[in-house]
């Protein structure tokens, strides 16, 4: 039993390479009218210098998100997005989320 416990403690640091997804919600209105339907979004986390530390997928890839009466909810790092790096928020205490919306 001690061998299994020691093996688990040894392997644990190598298995935690991504952080848990982070819930994010927003609202979309076009000319003051709440958007309704499916839309494409991109999400990027960057630092104050503009350096990108995470993005939902490749540079030009977006994800489909349903929008209901202007409101949407996503899990950053989930829902088929790139996972968030495990130490992202520890290594970079000041990050900004850039959200882009595209009508489907």
């Amino acid at each position: 039993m001690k061998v299994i416990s020691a093996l688990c403690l040894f392997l644990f640091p190598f298995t935690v390479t991504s952080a848990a997804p982070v819930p994010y919600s927003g609202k979309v209105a076009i000319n003051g009218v709440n958007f309704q339907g499916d839309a494409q979004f991109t999400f990027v986390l960057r630092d104050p210098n503009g350096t990108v530390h995470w993005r939902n997928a490749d540079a030009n890839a977006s994800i489909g998100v349903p929008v209901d009466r202007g409101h949407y909810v996503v899990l950053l790092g989930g829902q088929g997005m790139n996972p968030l790096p495990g130490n992202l928020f520890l290594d970079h205490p000041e990050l900004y989320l850039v959200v882009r919306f595209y009508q489907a």
Side-chain angles (χ1 to χ4, degrees), residues 26-39:
K27 184 174 182 207
V28 177
I30 300 173
N31 296 323
V33 177
N34 291 337
F35 181 80
Q36 179 71 33
D38 292 327

Side-chain angles (χ1 to χ4, degrees), residues 19 45 52-54 83-95:
L45 286 170
V52 173
H53 294 280
W54 174 86
L84 295 169
N87 286 336
L88 179 66
F89 300 110
L90 294 173
D91 295 341
H92 308 284
E94 186 176 355
L95 291 172

